[in-house]
Amino acid sequence: MTGRPRPPARAASEGLAVSANSTKADNWDDHGTLFSEMDAKTLLLGDFAENGTWWTGGRTQRNLSQRSAAQTAEGSDPTADRVSPKTPRIQWEEVNEWYQVVLSVGCTWRERRQELGAADNNEMKRFMAGLVEEQELEDHFTEARLHVQRTLLKATENLLRRPGRPLTNTEDCRFLLILLANPLLYPSDASQAANTSPAKNKGSMVNEHNSVGLHSPSHRHTSASVQRSSSSRSDGPGQHSGIIKRILGLMSNVPNDCHHYLIAWFSRFSEAHFRRTVDLVGGFVTYRLARQHGHKSSVGHDPTAGLVPDISGPGAGTSAQLHAALGISGPARGHGSKVKAGAGSYDEDWQIKAAARVMSLLFSANNSGLARRQDVGRSRSPEVVHISVGLAARNRAHSHGQILPTSDFYNSLLDYSDLITDFEAWESRRARFSFCQYPMFLSIWAKIRILEYEARRQMEVKAREAFFNSIMSRKAVNQHLILKVRRECLVEDSLRGVSEVVGTGQEEIKKGLRIEFLNEEGIDAGGLRKEWFLLLVREVFDPEHGLFVYDEDSHYCYFNPNCFETSDQFFLIGVVFGLAIYNSTILDVAFPPFAFKKLLASAPAYNGPALSSTRVTAGYTLEDLAELSPSLAKGLRQMLEFEGDVEGTYCRDFIIEVDRYGQTVQIPLCVGGEKRPVTNSNRREFVDLYIQYLLDTAVARQFEPFKRGFFTVCGGNALSLFRPEEIELLVRGSDEPLDVASLRAVAIYENWGTQQQAEAEPAVKWFWDTFATADATDQRKMLSFITGSDRIPAMGTTNLVVKITCLGGDTDRFPTARTCFNMLGLYRYQTKEKLESKLWRAVAEGEGFGLK
């Protein structure tokens, strides 16, 4: 099973001796009960608990010198049987076959009956004469099969309780992987294990694990007694939790060298095998969280009873922070601590800690880059292909080199926990365990909530500072960051305003943002801010400005290495990016996915609380270049795969030719590159240097100030919880097709009467019909008219609540929208044609607080 040499012969007490002279008549006991010849592997079940050292390699250690001597005598390599990061040397086909023998024992008794001789057949007839029907015999076999499965589980649990010796090397960890592959541990498989057919499941572990537990058509009916026996087991996430917790506990406490091996082994699992393992660990965490519901956590004892305020955290030492601490001390603090006590009750649960550590190993394996990447060099079709959201996420994960999407690691039960308390405990380093230390469990919704809380907290601190400074200095200090801009000079006014704020001090930029359009009567309650971001980004990223270059195949943009703008321009653009995240606003930017990985990898040195995941690295690959320029990546890939003479065919040196406004410039990729030809032996180095120059070196002058501007605003601990793909979703929003049905399901109505009356209104029906039948471009325009942005929030369509209000009876006036509140105002138009005419003209010509 594990690819090791056969262990030495077992002692007589370790097995059952079968007489060579036994006859078929010996298969019947004194009471006339038939005993079939059991498989040899099944007979080993009773020995597992007694011989745990055989599973963990104890026999291997005792006989290592003997095997090495024998292998040396035979001339074989003694290291051939050792494990490596590439393989644990486990024969998964044999493991799966062995498990199926146990799970399906007795399923083929009807076929074996036909193979019996005449004498045994008469005995069978005599035995069945006392049974009411053949189904009763089936029940006996089913009950026996369940007993074998329970024996396996009990033996496994006994082995895990007494492994035999400490797990200190990589070979010791292999038996944990074998035990973790037991189909009985998985609810979907264990609930069907009693009716498993071995013929259908052979090799299923290798073939994506998706055929384990198929029902046998001839064995679907069981008696009430068998059903009671089968239902005695738990079929929920906590099924066999005693075994799972011990496997995860042992796996989480092995040395770090073993963890590195486990990550490498996990990363080479098949996708279905890996998914099943992730689901098992995630389901166990959910089970433990559900068990902790209502339990109170241990709250650190405060010897001062709240009399001395706590002024730790960001902004410590300022008058505003002291005032904030004084304001929440006393009875208010005591009330809040009661609310937080029930949220962190999992901080003392060692089982959750162990499962979280194992999940971090799986998450590292998922992002190790060893997964086979799909060809992302194909150009993106402008036509929208309607595929499921899950399939789209899977394709994006494969394009990023992941086995599973990051969202598959989320635990939705945590969305209902007090994550703010968890975040504060993680920041203060006072908690024994915090889910913020394992951010793979936190959904994008949970992370955004934490990010908004941190931003709101910093805004409140700055507002208090401004208030006290205004009193002490006796001059008015605004509590918000107000930018006054003109629509006709939007970019110039915006960049000048942001530059003035950053020049006065970086802390001022963290105030709440408010936008005023000059000569307009609008008051910013969120809508003007969204419109300002939308219009500003459109103009800044306009190709005519020359700040960014676009690729016609991928439709992505990237920094223009040949632009004439100063670094201050890119610094201010980075500030705008940070302000968008800080103020929970999505931007319509066309950066390739690797740009967000590059941004996170260039973050300042992190000195915050501990994280289980390692820092994102900015290694550039051919797949990254394919995201930006598919045609160029295709040409470089052809060079790497070329089987002929590269030097004679391509005639290339280690230089790159760049077009600078009509003039071709040759730049060496290394010292002496203009005199170094590209050959078959160094073509990989040439491609790596080529990609490094295009994506990093050439744009360093533009990216460095952009990065500084971004982290000037977004420098808190909450941002460290995000992955690059999550930052992309946070900044750009979701580009999935609009689901008008979901928007309609969560919409609310005002001044239409009851909800049922509103949905029955002809004008409301006509609006939703018009919205649903429009093409994708017009739907985006409609969404922008109502909400101020044409993008779906990161949390999905169902989190975008549209309010439709009634403005009165039939009229010639146009519908109105209040983007601050995602509100659309409609009149009771008499005909659908009139509604469509007024609505689409308002969408097409509406701008600001009137028509163009």
Side-chain angles (χ1 to χ4, degrees):
M1 241 181 239
T2 59
R4 302 168 103 171
R6 184 180 298 276
R10 299 167 63 85
S13 61
E14 297 176 6
L16 296 177
V18 181
S19 175
N21 298 324
S22 57
T23 60
K24 294 182 179 179
D26 295 335
N27 296 334
W28 298 86
D29 66 356
D30 297 336
H31 303 285
T33 305
L34 175 64
F35 287 95
S36 62
E37 295 181 2
M38 300 182 66
D39 186 273
K41 295 177 181 178
T42 307
L43 294 176
L44 291 176
L45 280 173
D47 298 330
F48 290 155
E50 301 176 5
N51 300 281
T53 56
W54 180 73
W55 284 70
T56 57
R59 294 178 178 272
T60 303
Q61 293 295 327
R62 292 199 304 265
N63 299 277
L64 182 60
S65 59
Q66 299 177 6
R67 288 206 317 271
S68 299
Q71 290 170 346
T72 304
E74 296 174 1
S76 59
D77 184 7
T79 63
D81 297 314
R82 296 179 183 177
V83 299
S84 67
K86 293 184 178 181
T87 173
R89 298 194 62 82
I90 297 177
Q91 302 297 333
W92 289 113
E93 297 92 340
E94 296 183 11
V95 172
N96 185 51
E97 182 181 1
W98 187 90
Y99 275 123
Q100 291 310 315
V101 167
V102 177
L103 298 183
S104 60
V105 60
C107 287
T108 59
W109 67 272
R110 288 185 174 88
E111 292 78 1
R112 294 297 300 273
R113 177 187 173 188
Q114 298 176 0
E115 300 174 2
L116 295 176
D120 288 333
N121 195 28
N122 293 333
E123 294 290 344
M124 174 67 77
K125 292 180 180 179
R126 181 171 61 84
F127 172 72
M128 294 188 60
L131 301 178
V132 178
E133 56 182 5
E134 188 177 284
Q135 181 61 40
E136 188 173 347
L137 184 60
E138 171 67 23
D139 294 343
H140 283 292
F141 276 105
T142 303
E143 185 67 28
R145 184 161 56 253
L146 295 176
H147 177 72
V148 171
Q149 295 171 7
R150 288 192 294 268
T151 303
L152 172 61
L153 294 172
K154 184 62 177 178
T156 301
E157 187 171 7
N158 291 337
L159 169 63
L160 292 170
R161 286 177 177 175
R162 298 181 294 274
R165 60 190 174 87
L167 308 181
T168 57
N169 56 63
T170 54
E171 290 191 356
D172 295 340
C173 302
R174 300 190 302 168
F175 85 105
L176 295 175
L177 299 180
I178 296 177
L179 296 183
L180 198 61
N182 187 350
L184 293 174
L185 301 180
Y186 302 86
S188 60
D189 294 340
S191 61
Q192 302 169 359
N195 297 321
T196 302
S197 173
K200 293 182 179 181
N201 294 286
K202 185 176 181 180
S204 60
M205 186 178 299
V206 180
N207 295 325
E208 307 295 347
H209 274 292
N210 54 4
S211 61
V212 178
L214 295 176
H215 286 281
S216 176
S218 60
H219 305 143
R220 293 179 180 174
H221 303 287
T222 57
S223 64
S225 62
V226 176
Q227 291 177 0
R228 286 194 301 270
S229 176
S230 176
S231 62
S232 63
R233 302 165 309 182
S234 173
D235 289 334
Q239 175 176 265
H240 308 309
S241 59
I243 295 177
I244 298 175
K245 71 179 182 183
R246 288 182 171 86
I247 295 177
L248 300 181
L250 291 173
M251 193 175 292
S252 64
N253 286 285
V254 297
N256 288 334
D257 293 341
C258 297
H259 282 167
H260 294 319
Y261 272 73
L262 287 173
I263 292 174
W265 294 342
F266 285 145
S267 65
R268 287 172 171 83
F269 277 8
S270 66
E271 181 179 347
H273 190 178
F274 188 81
R275 182 184 297 277
R276 283 162 51 87
T277 307
V278 170
D279 291 344
L280 178 67
V281 179
F284 180 76
V285 173
T286 302
Y287 163 72
R288 293 304 304 174
L289 287 174
R291 288 285 301 272
Q292 294 294 336
H293 179 69
H295 293 187
K296 292 186 177 181
S297 64
S298 59
V299 182
H301 177 65
D302 184 6
T304 67
L307 297 178
V308 178
D310 179 16
I311 57 174
S312 61
T318 63
S319 59
Q321 187 70 7
L322 176 62
H323 179 267
L326 291 173
I328 62 177
S329 60
R333 174 182 285 273
H335 176 73
S337 63
K338 294 180 181 179
V339 177
K340 296 178 181 180
S345 57
Y346 45 74
D347 60 349
E348 296 182 352
D349 191 334
W350 70 266
Q351 300 180 34
I352 292 182
K353 297 178 186 178
R357 291 172 186 168
V358 175
M359 186 65 88
S360 67
L361 299 180
L362 291 167
F363 192 70
S364 298
N366 188 67
N367 300 295
S368 63
L370 296 178
R372 180 178 179 273
R373 297 193 177 196
Q374 291 182 341
D375 183 13
V376 296
R378 292 170 293 184
S379 61
R380 300 189 305 174
S381 173
E383 298 180 359
V384 178
V385 180
H386 295 279
I387 59 176
S388 64
V389 177
L391 183 58
R394 180 173 176 268
N395 292 337
R396 285 194 299 268
H398 288 175
S399 66
H400 295 162
Q402 295 177 312
I403 304 175
L404 300 178
T406 303
S407 57
D408 284 5
F409 292 83
Y410 295 161
N411 192 304
S412 58
L413 190 60
L414 291 175
D415 294 344
Y416 303 94
S417 301
D418 189 359
L419 293 177
I420 302 303
T421 302
D422 188 283
F423 176 71
E424 292 176 341
W426 173 66
E427 276 192 315
S428 62
R429 298 179 174 88
R430 68 172 184 266
R432 299 183 180 91
F433 173 82
S434 172
F435 275 105
C436 287
Q437 186 179 354
Y438 300 91
M440 77 286 296
F441 286 109
L442 303 180
S443 66
I444 185 68
W445 183 87
K447 293 175 181 177
I448 290 176
R449 189 171 63 171
I450 293 174
L451 183 66
E452 291 177 346
Y453 163 76
E454 185 182 46
R456 187 170 59 253
R457 182 180 62 183
Q458 294 182 11
M459 290 179 185
E460 292 174 355
V461 170
K462 296 306 170 186
R464 292 192 188 100
E465 287 184 0
F467 174 73
F468 283 108
N469 290 337
S470 64
I471 295 178
M472 300 300 295
S473 61
R474 297 183 180 180
K475 63 179 181 180
V477 179
N478 204 309
Q479 299 181 15
H480 297 92
L481 171 60
I482 299 179
L483 296 181
K484 300 180 179 180
V485 296
R486 297 166 293 175
R487 288 188 180 272
E488 59 274 13
C489 302
L490 185 66
V491 176
E492 293 79 2
D493 292 351
S494 300
L495 297 184
R496 182 177 63 253
V498 172
S499 178
E500 293 174 356
V501 174
V502 174
T504 58
Q506 295 184 0
E507 299 300 330
E508 295 295 318
I509 202 69
K510 294 187 177 181
K511 292 182 179 180
L513 180 62
R514 297 290 185 271
I515 299 297
E516 290 185 9
F517 285 102
L518 296 179
N519 302 322
E520 293 188 15
E521 56 186 10
I523 298 178
D524 190 7
L528 292 182
R529 184 174 65 243
K530 289 192 292 185
E531 185 179 7
W532 174 76
F533 276 116
L534 180 65
L535 297 177
L536 178 63
V537 168
R538 283 180 179 176
E539 290 198 32
V540 167
F541 283 83
D542 192 330
E544 295 182 358
H545 280 77
L547 295 174
F548 300 90
V549 292
Y550 285 78
D551 187 88
E552 297 180 355
D553 295 332
S554 66
H555 303 288
Y556 281 132
C557 70
Y558 201 54
F559 300 95
N560 184 4
N562 303 317
C563 69
F564 296 107
E565 300 293 341
T566 63
S567 60
D568 294 340
Q569 299 288 330
F570 290 96
F571 175 82
L572 296 178
I573 295 174
V575 171
V576 171
F577 259 68
L579 285 174
I581 293 181
Y582 196 69
N583 290 272
S584 303
T585 305
I586 56 180
L587 303 178
D588 184 15
V589 295
F591 272 161
F594 79 85
F596 297 93
K597 180 181 67 174
K598 178 182 176 69
L599 182 61
L600 281 188
S602 62
Y606 178 73
N607 298 318
L611 286 170
S612 63
S613 56
T614 58
R615 181 169 177 169
V616 177
T617 57
Y620 305 101
T621 64
L622 193 59
E623 286 76 13
D624 295 333
L625 180 62
E627 293 174 352
L628 176 63
S629 179
S631 58
L632 178 58
K634 183 179 179 180
L636 294 177
R637 185 178 291 110
Q638 289 176 348
M639 174 185 288
L640 292 176
E641 298 173 353
F642 186 67
E643 298 179 355
D645 182 13
V646 173
E647 181 178 4
T649 303
Y650 285 89
C651 300
R652 295 293 302 267
D653 295 326
F654 272 70
I655 59 173
I656 183 173
E657 296 181 351
V658 180
D659 183 10
R660 291 182 177 176
Y661 301 101
Q663 182 181 1
T664 302
V665 180
Q666 293 184 348
I667 301 175
L669 297 175
C670 60
V671 178
E674 63 275 4
K675 299 179 181 179
R676 183 184 179 188
V678 179
T679 63
N680 293 67
S681 59
N682 62 17
R683 56 182 173 181
R684 167 55 68 179
E685 180 185 0
F686 169 77
V687 172
D688 293 340
L689 291 175
Y690 199 99
I691 297 173
Q692 179 74 21
Y693 178 83
L694 287 179
L695 303 185
D696 184 44
T697 307
V699 299
R701 185 176 65 87
Q702 293 77 23
F703 179 77
E704 286 299 321
F706 172 83
K707 174 197 68 177
R708 286 190 291 105
F710 178 82
F711 287 107
T712 297
V713 182
C714 297
N717 292 324
L719 194 68
S720 63
L721 304 177
F722 288 82
R723 289 276 307 167
E725 58 271 14
E726 294 172 329
I727 290 292
E728 179 185 6
L729 191 61
L730 184 64
V731 173
R732 299 186 58 201
S734 175
D735 57 355
E736 64 185 51
L738 285 180
D739 187 357
V740 180
S742 298
L743 281 175
R744 185 173 186 176
V746 297
I748 58 178
Y749 303 91
E750 192 176 75
N751 298 332
W752 298 95
T754 63
Q755 184 80 7
Q756 291 77 12
Q757 291 175 340
E759 294 176 352
E761 280 285 342
V764 174
K765 288 184 176 180
W766 295 336
F767 164 74
W768 288 117
D769 292 343
T770 302
F771 199 176
T773 56
D775 57 33
T777 303
D778 289 338
Q779 285 182 345
R780 294 288 178 179
K781 292 180 180 179
M782 178 75 74
L783 186 65
S784 178
F785 175 73
I786 300 174
T787 66
S789 174
D790 62 351
R791 309 283 292 184
I792 296 294
M795 295 176 286
T797 306
T798 55
N799 288 276
L800 183 60
V801 180
V802 175
K803 179 185 289 186
I804 300 179
T805 182
C806 179
L807 301 179
D810 185 29
T811 181
D812 290 334
R813 303 185 65 177
F814 292 96
T816 62
R818 302 178 66 183
T819 56
C820 305
F821 310 103
N822 297 338
M823 180 184 295
L824 174 66
L826 291 177
Y827 294 95
R828 287 189 171 92
Y829 297 106
Q830 291 295 328
T831 63
K832 182 178 180 180
E833 291 75 13
K834 185 176 182 180
L835 181 142
E836 291 180 346
S837 175
K838 297 291 184 181
L839 181 62
W840 286 119
R841 184 179 177 187
V843 170
E845 301 182 9
E847 184 178 85
F849 287 83
L851 298 178
K852 292 181 181 179

